[in-house]
Structures are given as C-alpha cells and as structure tokens.
C-alpha cells in the first residue's frame, strides 16, 4: 500500500511540476536580424514548448509585442513581408492614400529651413535647420492604431492581460535610464522601444522623451527575472555591444557615444541562450525575411531535444491556435464614434474636426485612414499622433488626435546644376498659418541663364465635408532659349529668342477622390517675345522683332496624380485634361522695316484643350514600362509671321532636356504624341531609363518666302525623340546623365548632366 501511495505521489508531483513550470522568452534588439525571433517562436510552437511570458527590446519588442497580441508566427511573417511594413520603415505614404488635392505645387527645393515665430509683436524667430528624424513618422503613427488598439482595449492597457504577458523597454535619455512598460498604450510602448536615434522620431510618454530601449538595455533578461520569475528562460540575441570605434568610422563613434553596454549573458541554470552574429545580414535587411526566419528556426531545431528535456511541460500547436483564436475573437470591432482633438487652439481644432467631419457618427477604420491621410497631406500640419481608446459606454473607440502644427515660416533653397544652359538657383520663402481654415503664402525666385522667374502666391483652404480652396498667384518670368546642346556651354552665346511674361491667375479647386483634383479659374497676362524673324538671314545690322500680347483666359483642369518623382518617375501615374478659352490682342513691332509701317495689331479668341497621360507598369521586379500619351487641340489662328506663330504654338516637351531647348519641329496647334519608357532598376534608387516618343502634328506650321506662316496638308510629317539616362534619385533631389537624340533639331545629339530639379512656373497659356 505504501509503495502504491509513493508512486501516486511521485506521479502527482511530477505532473504538478510539469504543469507549474513557466517559460519566459527574451528577445533582444538588433534591427532586421530580429526577424529571426519569429523563427524561434515558430519552432517552439511546432514542438509544443510553451511560451508563458515575453519581453523584448526594439525589434524584439515588435516581434514580442505582436506575439503577445495574439499574432501567429505565420501572420507576423506576412506583416513584415507586406507593403505596409515597408511603408513604416521608409515613412512613405501609401500611394492610394497620397492625398493629391492638398499637395502644394512642387518646388525645385531640396533644403527647407523652418522658423518658429514666438511672439508676433517682437518677431522673435527660432530656426530648426536639422530634421528630428530621417524617416517620417506619419505612416507609422497610423499603422500602430489598427495593429495594437484592439488588443490593448481587450487588455484594458494592462500588458499582463494580453494573450501572452508582455514587457518592453525604452530609454529615457534625459534621466539616463531604462523605462519598463508594464501597462499603458501598447502601440506607444512598442514605438518608443524601437525609436532608434536619428532614424525615428522619439516618443513622448508621461512627459519623458523616449528612444530605443537598446541604448540602456538591449536584452531585458533582468526584466523577465524581476517581473515574471519564470522557471526556464529562452533568450534570443541578435546584437552585440559596439566594437571599439575607428577614427574614420563616424557611425561607430556615435554608436559608442549613445549606447551603454548590455549584458547579453544568461546562466545555464536559468535557461538556454541563442546568439546570432551572422555578418551577412545588415541592420536594415528587412527584405530577407525568409532567410532570417529560417536562421532562428534552424537554431532551435538543432537543440530541440535539449529544450524538451529541460522543459517537460507541453502545449500543442493546436491548443495554442485555439487559445489564440479565442483571444482574438474577443477583440472589439475597430469602429470610431468620437474625435477628440488635442494640442491645438480652438480655431485649429475646428479645422481638424471639419476634415474628419464625422462628429458623433460611427465611422470605420477605412474612413479614419482616409481622413487621417487627408489631414497630414496639409503642409500646415507637422504631425498627427492618433490614439484609439475603447469606450465601454458606446461600444466603439474614441479617437484622440494629438496635432502638431508646422512652423510659420520656411526658407527653401534649391535649383539645378547642369552641364548646359539650365543651371538654376532657387530661393523660396513660405508663410503658413492654421486657424479654422488653412492659409499659406509664398515667394519663389529662380535665377539662371536660361530661366529667371519670380512668383507670388497664396492659397486659402476651406475645410468641410466637401473641401475647397481659393488660390491666387502672380508670375513674372523670362525664358532665354539657346541653340545647340554642347556638353559644356559658353557664357557668351546669345539667345535664340526670349519670352517674357507677367500674369495673374485666380482659381478655385475641389478634390476628386484621394488622387485627383479639379480647378477652375480666370487669368490675365502680358506676354513679350523678342526674336529674329529669320535666323538664317541675320547679319550684324539685323535687329530683333517684338511681339506683344495682352490676353485673358478662363480655364478648367482635372488631374489625377500618384507619381513617385517629379523629375524621373518610376511608379504611379499622372492623367490630366485642361480646357481654356483665351482671347486678346497681338501687337507686332518690327525693327527692320520703315518706322511708319513697323507696327501691326490683331485680335483673336480661341479654345485650347490638352490631355496627357503618363503611367508606369512594373512588369518584373526590376523592370518597369512607362507609357505616355498627349493630345493637343487649339483653334488659335496663325499669327503675323512664321516665327511668332511657332514660338506661341503649344510645344511637346516630355523630358527635362526638351523643356530647356526650343525645337520648332515639336510645336503645333494640333498634335498627338505617344511614348514608351523602359526602365531597369539597378538598385532601389539607381536606374537606367530609355524614352522614345513619336510626335505627329495635324498640320505643320510652315514658312512662306515673305516669312508669313501657312499650314501644310494634314499629317505630312512626324518627328521622333529618343533619350537614355542613368538616374539616381536621392531623397532630396535627382541626378541624371542623359543622351538625347531628336530627328529634327539644330543639334540632333545632346549629352548632358542635371543634378537637382528643373521646375519652372507654367507659361500663361499652359
């Protein structure tokens, strides 16, 4: 009897020990290599090894946090492989949510220096030249709401009540200490833990400025011991302390300055430690997900029998999946009812509320996402930090928006460095203010041999359920077009002809979905053209003729835009159609005829319609095909001589080079053009592009012997442009080396270099 009792007691004790044994998983930071943590979790689950607690830092906090929220290893892999995760890391707004209507007209600037006005009466300014982070937080601010809010609501902000009790660590750089998160807003905690200095903007929680937890504790095994006291720990380390810096390695010097050495050890009695020091993987190799998961998975599988021997307790993969489903099924549906705006004054709050326009109506995650990206597209908004708090009284989430406003003044610097005549310097000054409506004003000045311009403009946006804006602008500019296309130009070359314009426009704009807008307006301008009537007959005594125009216009334009670059796009599309009614007087003055017969006048009223499409299709991972089409229809009559008729005719200018070199063969009042653009990406930012265009004028403008103009018969000629270029798209500008060929030109073959932006104010009739 005693023997039976002893056996029963032994079995009972063994079962109790097995059931009571708790396992803690500790995950270090280490950038992309932290993806291997998922492989470890996957292998443990498949072999029935329980995970009762999880603690992590930085990338370990992301993986550990997702697991604690009830995401399976396969779901985590899908998330990290997704385009959404890529947008978190790059800060790029998803193309479908890039709200084009609120985007300001592009400027040729690559440096912006903000100035904050402290007091209006003394005009005390403060400049912030350096950005607070390399990667914009706008995409990530949104992403952590749908990722974390339901689980955080279910747990009531208590991290012990998640699917797996969870801890993560951030760094308080002011008090020089680690901050341990046990409760609070889960998304903020994970964000703070992964906010690597300079790369990501710090997170402010309870008045503390928090950065990446790896600065003070990159492997929170001490937190696991203190908070959970597990019977057995499994540690995954994908980082190491910074090596001794080299005098020429500034990044390693900075890393040594900001990071405290972490103890990555764990006694064998406490558990098992897995280290990954594979130098083939870099800090941001997030594209190599499968390799990294396999690395973690294989390491566990190589020691699985030892782990099983030390952890006799088992929880089947099916049981874990069932518990996970039960936890996730209790998630409250992510619907919102109240919008609470913080961080701004009453008038600015009204503006933000009008953008959302939901008031107390229930709205979905999709509607929230659309309104959020509409709001951050406004250049008066610096940042919007959303938090979703579950309201048990309504059964929906309250949406708290912490809004930060841009500084009032910005100085913009930019331009273009070129091997030809298109060297440009750009200086801009922008003022912006937000009350119950958004207002901005700008001064833009460009200086160069080919183009000089001054633009003054303002825009006032009235937010409502159907937003709209009023825009007014005045432009004074001058184009000097030169012949030839040598790699390096001579400063003493004289211009082929010059165009000077002074005009003003007033327009009203409305949104069309997330990607489009329509605009209607009126304008009035004075245009002056100085040119030689026939350059082939020019002598030293020949003087320039002059044509002046006084024109008014009524116009409308519809545009859809998602291109990823204004100079050399490789993704997205731009589709537009414009319609103008233009009328006014022409005055022609010739300096080469008798004085009493040198001025003639005429009037005209015409309709002009232009349609364009520029779209890019990714056919293979590295190969993209761009397609281009343009159709122009103008009823404008021929002017008082051939030269001015060609100069004033609409021009086909599909590439940066063609916008700087006038070619009369590609000017016509009615034409069609198509193009193909094969693009091969060598790296993410470096590509080789080819561009081929065929231009077909309906009727070519032709010169009479007396220099008057007449139309040829329909479709008598066509012309061809080809260009190949090697392009590198920096974050702030583009650089391209190009070789251009035109079937009809003074210089058919042109080689050149551009670094920066070639963006000019549009001409009055464009």
């Amino acid at each position: 009897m005693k023997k039976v009792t002893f056996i029963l007691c032994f079995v009972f004790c063994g079962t109790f020990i097995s059931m009571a044994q708790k396992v803690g998983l500790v995950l270090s930071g280490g950038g992309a290599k932290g993806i291997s943590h998922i492989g470890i979790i996957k292998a443990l689950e498949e072999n029935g090894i329980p995970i009762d607690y999880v603690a992590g830092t930085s990338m370990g906090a992301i993986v550990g946090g997702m697991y604690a929220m009830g995401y399976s290893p396969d779901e985590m892999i899908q998330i990290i492989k997704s385009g959404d995760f890529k947008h978190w890391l790059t800060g790029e707004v998803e193309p479908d949510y890039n709200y084009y209507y609120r985007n300001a007209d592009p400027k040729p600037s690559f440096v912006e220096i903000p100035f904050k006005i402290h007091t209006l009466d003394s005009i005390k300014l403060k400049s912030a030249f350096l950005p607070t982070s390399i990667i914009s937080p706008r995409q990530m601010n949104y992403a952590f709401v749908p990722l974390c809010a339901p689980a955080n609501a279910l747990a009531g902000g208590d991290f012990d009540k998640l699917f797996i009790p969870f801890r993560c660590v951030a760094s308080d750089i002011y008090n020089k200490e680690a901050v341990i998160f046990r409760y609070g807003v889960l998304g903020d905690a994970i964000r703070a833990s992964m906010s690597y200095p300079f790369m990501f903007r710090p997170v402010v929680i309870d008045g503390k400025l928090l950065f990446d937890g790896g600065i003070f504790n990159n492997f929170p095994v001490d937190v696991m011991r203190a908070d959970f006291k597990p019977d057995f720990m499994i540690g995954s380390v994908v980082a190491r302390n910074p090596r001794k810096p080299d005098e020429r390695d500034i990044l390693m010097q900075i890393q040594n300055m900001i990071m405290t050495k972490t103890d990555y050890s764990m006694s064998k009695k406490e558990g098992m430690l897995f280290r990954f020091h594979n130098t083939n993987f870099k800090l941001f190799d997030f594209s190599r997900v499968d390799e990294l998961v396999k690395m973690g998975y294989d390491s566990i599988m190589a020691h699985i029998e030892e782990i099983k021997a030390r952890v006799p307790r088992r929880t089947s993969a099916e049981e874990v999946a069932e518990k996970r489903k039960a936890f996730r099924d209790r998630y409250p549906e992510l619907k919102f009812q109240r919008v609470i705006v913080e961080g701004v004054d009453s008038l600015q709050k009204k503006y933000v509320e009008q953008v959302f326009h939901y008031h107390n109506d229930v709205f979905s995650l999709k509607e929230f996402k659309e309104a959020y990206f509409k709001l951050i597209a406004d250049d008066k908004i610096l940042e919007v930090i959303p938090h979703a708090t579950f309201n048990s009284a309504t059964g929906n989430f309250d949406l708290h928006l912490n809004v930060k406003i841009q500084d009032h003044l910005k100085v913009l610097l930019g331009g273009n460095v070129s091997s030809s005549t298109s060297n440009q310097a750009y200086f801009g000054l922008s003022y912006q203010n937000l009350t119950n409506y958004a207002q901005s004003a700008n001064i833009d000045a460009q200086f160069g041999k080919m183009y000089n311009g001054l633009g003054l403009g303002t825009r006032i946006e009235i937010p409502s359920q159907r937003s709209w804006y009023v825009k007014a602008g005045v432009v004074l500019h001058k184009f000097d077009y030169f012949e030839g296309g040598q790699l390096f130009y001579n400063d003493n070359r004289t211009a082929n002809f010059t165009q000077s314009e002074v005009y003003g426009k007033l327009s009203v704009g409305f949104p069309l979905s997330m990607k489009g807008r329509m605009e209607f307006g009126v304008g009035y301008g004075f245009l002056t053209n100085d040119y030689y009537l026939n350059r082939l007959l020019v002598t030293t005594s020949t003087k320039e003729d002059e044509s002046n125009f006084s024109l008014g216009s009524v116009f409308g334009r519809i545009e859809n835009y998602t291109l990823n670059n204004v100079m050399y796009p490789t993704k997205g599309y731009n589709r537009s159609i414009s319609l103008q009614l233009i009328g006014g007087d022409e005055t022609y003055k010739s300096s080469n005829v008798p004085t009493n017969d040198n001025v003639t006048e005429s009037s005209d009223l015409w309709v002009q319609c232009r349609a364009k499409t520029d779209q890019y299709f990714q056919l293979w991972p590295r190969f993209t095909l761009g397609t281009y089409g343009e159709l122009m229809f103008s009823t404008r009559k021929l002017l008082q001589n051939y030269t001015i008729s060609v100069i004033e005719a609409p021009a086909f200018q599909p590439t940066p080079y063609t916008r700087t070199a006038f070619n009369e063969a590609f000017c016509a009042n009615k034409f069609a053009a198509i193009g193909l653009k094969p693009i091969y990406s060598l790296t993410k930012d470096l590509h080789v592009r080819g561009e081929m265009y065929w231009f077909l004028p309906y009727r070519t403008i032709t010169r009479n012997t007396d220099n008057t103009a007449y139309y040829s018969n329909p479709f008598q000629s066509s012309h061809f442009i080809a260009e190949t270029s090697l392009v590198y798209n920096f974050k702030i500008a583009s650089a391209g080396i190009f070789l251009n060929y035109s079937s009809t030109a003074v210089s058919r073959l042109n080689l050149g270099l551009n670094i920066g932006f070639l963006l000019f104010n549009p001409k009055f009739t464009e």
Side-chain angles (χ1 to χ4, degrees), residues 162-204:
L162 293 167
F163 174 65
I164 303 290
F166 171 67
R167 298 289 185 270
C168 68
V169 180
S171 298
D172 179 350
I173 59 170
Y174 179 75
N175 293 306
K176 303 291 190 295
E177 63 183 12
V179 176
I180 302 165
F181 288 101
R182 301 176 174 92
Y183 50 83
V185 180
L186 182 59
D188 282 1
I190 296 172
R191 281 282 307 279
S193 185
M194 59 161 285
S195 293
Y196 194 82
F198 308 117
M199 295 302 296
F200 300 105
R201 190 170 293 173
V203 177
V204 179

Side-chain angles (χ1 to χ4, degrees), residues 18 38 61 78 100 186 213-214 250 257 375 428 435 490 525 540 582-583 588 617 646 711 742 747:
S18 160
I38 301 175
Q78 281 184 331
Y100 178 62
L186 182 59
I250 189 170
M257 283 189 280
L375 187 59
T435 55
N490 299 316
T540 54
I582 308 172
Y588 169 57
F617 302 92
V646 172
Y711 281 124
S742 174
S747 176

Side-chain angles (χ1 to χ4, degrees), residues 114-117 128 138 201 341-353 355 375-376 378-385 401-410 431-439:
F115 288 85
K116 184 182 289 294
I117 300 177
R138 294 182 167 192
R201 190 170 293 173
V341 181
E342 303 158 346
V344 291
D345 63 33
S346 58
L347 291 177
Q348 294 166 340
K349 178 181 176 181
K350 183 178 179 182
Y351 175 86
V352 174
E353 289 173 341
V355 173
L375 187 59
I376 66 169
D378 194 316
D379 55 8
K380 272 70 71 181
I381 303 292
L382 175 65
E383 187 178 8
V384 177
I385 303 172
L401 303 175
N402 186 354
V403 180
K404 299 178 181 180
I405 305 300
Q406 282 279 12
D407 295 332
H408 289 83
L409 288 176
K410 280 194 298 186
Y431 171 81
Q432 49 203 13
N433 191 29
L434 188 67
T435 55
N436 57 332
Y437 56 88
Q439 53 187 316

